[in-house]
Amino acid sequence: MCWFLSVIYPHDSMAIFDYNRVIKSCPLSTPELIAKLEPNFTVTPVARPAQPEPTSPEADITPKHYAKPSHKRQFAMYRDGQWYHLELTAPVDESDPVKNIDSQILTDLVLEPVLGIHDLRTHPNVAFVGGDRGLQEMEAKTDAMREQGA
């Protein structure tokens, strides 16, 4: 006989948080980096809204941010004080479920070939910002590193 522990939650009581990667230093200039991304992505600057979005106590538990990707295979990149959306244009092997995960697409098309990062867990140039802290924290961390000359 086998027993399995299980819990059921209503869909509106759950959230899947982002797990954002911060690259501490990049040897490429912003135009060089965008040029390396363009064979696989459409890269578009994201306009900062004139007024911040209002928040309410009933809002989602994940912090809101104007640059947060809105759908699968859209990524956000923050570089030199500017947010960019990256829309995947390269084909993905639909028969491989792992290759279809956004984080794996990012690894396969950006982190490994463009930035030379092969192991996210141990690479000294990679830091993480959990999604519960939002893109605002990622922006602040990146700006602080840029000011320190990292």
Side-chain angles (χ1 to χ4, degrees):
M1 183 181 303
C2 293
W3 297 94
F4 295 95
L5 178 63
S6 64
V7 178
I8 299 174
Y9 291 100
H11 70 86
D12 58 353
S13 295
M14 293 180 54
I16 298 174
F17 290 115
D18 308 337
Y19 199 61
N20 302 301
R21 289 113 178 112
V22 177
I23 308 305
K24 296 176 185 177
S25 66
C26 178
L28 304 170
S29 69
T30 300
E32 290 170 332
L33 178 59
I34 290 172
K36 295 243 183 205
L37 296 172
E38 285 180 329
N40 296 309
F41 300 91
T42 300
V43 181
T44 309
V46 179
R48 187 178 298 270
Q51 296 291 326
E53 291 185 40
T55 59
S56 69
E58 297 82 28
D60 292 335
I61 59 174
T62 57
K64 300 279 187 215
H65 194 279
Y66 69 94
K68 185 172 180 144
S70 60
H71 55 274
K72 186 176 180 177
R73 298 187 179 156
Q74 180 185 58
F75 304 87
M77 176 179 75
Y78 185 66
R79 179 75 190 245
D80 297 330
Q82 172 67 54
W83 282 99
Y84 298 87
H85 276 160
L86 283 63
E87 294 281 344
L88 182 67
T89 57
V92 175
D93 182 358
E94 299 290 340
S95 67
D96 186 340
V98 173
K99 297 282 185 187
N100 279 293
I101 300 171
D102 280 355
S103 61
Q104 190 63 45
I105 292 169
L106 183 67
T107 297
D108 292 346
L109 297 179
V110 179
L111 299 176
E112 287 184 0
V114 176
L115 301 174
I117 297 169
H118 300 286
D119 188 346
L120 288 169
R121 294 170 298 185
T122 61
H123 200 285
N125 199 27
V126 178
F128 297 94
V129 175
D132 60 332
R133 294 184 286 168
L135 294 182
Q136 295 87 337
E137 176 69 20
M138 189 170 143
E139 202 172 292
K141 188 172 198 159
T142 303
D143 289 343
M145 286 189 300
R146 187 177 62 209
E147 289 172 10
Q148 293 172 358

